[in-house]
Amino acid sequence: EKGGYEHFMLKEIFEQPTAVFDCLRGRLDAKAGTIRMGGIDKHLELLKEAKRIILVGCGTSWHAGLLAEYVFEELCRVPVEVEYASEFRYRNPVINPGDVIIAISQSGETADTLVALENAKNQGAFIFGVVNVVGSSIARLSQAGAYTHAGPEIGVASTKAFTAQITVLYLIAIKLGYAKGSLSRDRYLNLIGELALIPDKISEVLKSAPEVAALAEKYKDARDFLFLGRGYNFPIALEGALKLKEISYIHAEGYPAAEMKHGPIALVEESLPVVFVATKDAYHDKLISNAQEIKARKGKVLAIISENDTVFQDIADETIAVPVADEILAPLLSVVPLQLLAYYTGLAKGLDVDKPRNLAKSVTVE
Ligand code: F6R
């Protein structure tokens, strides 16, 4: 059942080219330049007119929501909020007609997410589900939706469900942005073409698994890890830290890279690995200065970079290169080495990577 892999987590990490491909299949037609999604097509006017989009989820699904905030604001020019379901459900949020809630959940059974949605629905919000498990409670409560089609995820840590979630969210944002006219036809076609290339690029990234395993062996005894990123890669820094915590029990924190100066920099010393999610984008020069600041304080810089980024290679102690991609879509590549880092670190420490202590696959109690 593990298809020749030692663990479900590794199998599911390696299934990502297929998971993303399956998620695009039947929806994205790069040649025709079209995106077809039943749940969106049917409610296109309502979505175009949304006054606000509120993304709701927990854990890794919340990270997918955070990335979607950047993407929807850029491509659709609509105000977006991202909410932890557990906070949203209790704090008497202001919800108005015209608000669209996008619920993100792998299992479709997370108690906090479910109740948050029930409350919002009662207040008149429209609920759109991005869910993996067909027929689950959240799928049933949603008034429209798009399944992620990642297939069953058995490992407790979410991997392929995350990349499928963000793929669906990209599709929605690209489609909606074009329909609203906030995305030009050229940019729309360009993003569609780039998205179609992603499954093969993820396969390329997976070839770095032995390199990541060697890094894991080298840094497995670190007490803490810091993960830094900016822009589209900031949510990926959070996700990298969460994965490492869950699977290796090493304390890890994710931060927007520039926030480092406002506190976390006090932690930097020789024994602290700092992982930069540093694929080339509009913020690249700033990230380079942040990495230099870590080096100046003798921290270890580990970086996920775009291939042929010689500048970062010179600064960093260790680099893992991923293929060049559009900056908006790069998180689909940059997250993969971080999933592998968590997996191989847990493995090197002799831990149960598929069933980390204290965690359940689906959190049906609050
Ligand atoms: C992390 C992880 C959890 C889930 C969270 C939400 O690896 O798996 O953080 O993402 O419990 O679960 P779903 O997506 O099923 O609502």
Side-chain angles (χ1 to χ4, degrees):
E1 53 177 358
K2 288 181 198 145
Y5 289 94
E6 207 178 331
H7 298 99
F8 283 111
M9 184 178 177
L10 190 64
K11 171 173 179 264
E12 289 159 5
I13 292 172
F14 273 78
E15 277 172 351
Q16 289 178 111
T18 315
V20 171
F21 184 82
D22 286 347
C23 181
L24 298 175
R25 191 170 49 190
R27 290 170 168 163
L28 180 119
D29 184 336
K31 279 210 193 85
T34 54
I35 295 174
R36 271 182 233 290
M37 300 175 86
I40 301 286
D41 293 319
K42 213 160 129 198
H43 301 280
L44 194 59
E45 284 315 304
L46 181 146
L47 294 168
K48 275 166 72 178
E49 253 127 67
K51 301 245 171 11
R52 186 167 64 144
I53 291 178
I54 307 173
L55 296 140
V56 179
C58 300
T60 288
S61 296
W62 185 86
H63 293 155
L66 186 61
L67 173 59
E69 175 179 38
Y70 286 69
V71 177
F72 275 93
E73 290 200 342
E74 172 69 23
L75 302 183
C76 308
R77 305 309 297 152
V78 57
V80 177
E81 282 170 41
V82 193
E83 299 278 359
Y84 289 107
S86 54
E87 290 297 313
F88 190 61
R89 76 180 266 198
Y90 281 112
R91 72 146 208 275
N92 193 17
V94 179
I95 296 171
N96 297 310
D99 285 342
V100 169
I101 310 254
I102 301 185
I104 308 171
S105 178
Q106 188 287 126
S107 63
E109 302 296 346
T110 302
D112 278 323
T113 309
L114 191 59
V115 180
L117 299 177
E118 278 166 357
N119 294 349
K121 195 176 178 184
N122 288 338
Q123 290 179 66
F126 182 81
I127 314 290
F128 189 97
V130 175
V131 174
N132 196 41
V133 177
V134 175
S136 56
S137 304
I138 294 172
R140 281 183 281 124
L141 183 121
S142 302
Q143 287 143 298
Y147 282 114
T148 41
H149 299 311
E153 192 180 63
I154 311 289
V156 161
S158 191
T159 53
K160 64 173 179 172
F162 176 73
T163 39
Q165 284 167 343
I166 61 182
T167 303
V168 165
L169 292 162
Y170 283 132
L171 284 171
I172 299 172
I174 294 169
K175 184 170 171 75
L176 191 59
Y178 184 53
K180 287 184 71 172
S182 49
L183 188 58
S184 72
R185 180 154 181 87
D186 277 0
R187 182 71 175 123
Y188 166 78
L189 290 174
N190 164 263
L191 280 169
I192 285 186
E194 289 282 327
L195 198 50
L197 299 174
I198 292 287
D200 284 346
K201 290 185 183 179
I202 298 178
S203 300
E204 278 302 305
V205 178
L206 289 168
K207 291 184 185 158
S208 66
E211 272 173 79
V212 181
L215 280 192
E217 188 56 49
K218 192 162 166 187
Y219 292 94
K220 69 176 193 299
D221 296 319
R223 194 189 57 182
D224 311 281
F225 261 76
L226 207 53
F227 288 76
L228 302 176
R230 299 177 84 121
Y232 301 109
N233 275 324
F234 162 50
I236 300 307
L238 297 186
E239 175 61 6
L242 178 63
K243 284 289 95 93
L244 191 71
K245 270 185 277 215
E246 288 181 292
I247 304 301
S248 75
Y249 311 152
I250 295 176
H251 168 246
E253 288 191 63
Y255 263 94
E259 271 293 305
M260 177 183 88
K261 289 192 192 64
H262 301 281
I265 200 164
L267 300 173
V268 178
E269 55 174 359
E270 230 177 309
S271 63
L272 182 77
V274 183
V275 179
F276 281 84
V277 192
T279 51
K280 270 189 190 158
D281 56 21
Y283 306 93
H284 199 60
D285 288 345
K286 297 195 186 296
L287 219 58
I288 289 171
S289 340
N290 295 144
Q292 281 160 338
E293 284 154 11
I294 298 291
K295 281 314 306 168
R297 289 161 184 84
K298 301 202 162 33
K300 295 282 180 301
V301 171
L302 284 56
I304 312 303
I305 58 167
S306 305
E307 55 195 15
N308 68 43
D309 179 356
T310 50
V311 177
F312 229 102
Q313 252 160 18
D314 287 345
I315 302 167
D317 297 276
E318 323 278 355
T319 54
I320 299 291
V322 302
V324 174
D326 189 279
E327 65 171 6
I328 293 187
L329 306 178
L332 280 170
L333 306 182
S334 57
V335 74
V336 176
L338 303 184
Q339 298 167 338
L340 288 167
L341 181 66
Y343 171 78
Y344 285 116
T345 307
L347 198 66
K349 300 186 92 160
L351 301 172
D352 185 350
V353 291
D354 278 340
K355 284 203 182 64
R357 68 185 179 205
N358 309 339
L359 288 167
K361 181 63 187 160
S362 127
V363 184
T364 52
V365 290
E366 68 171 293

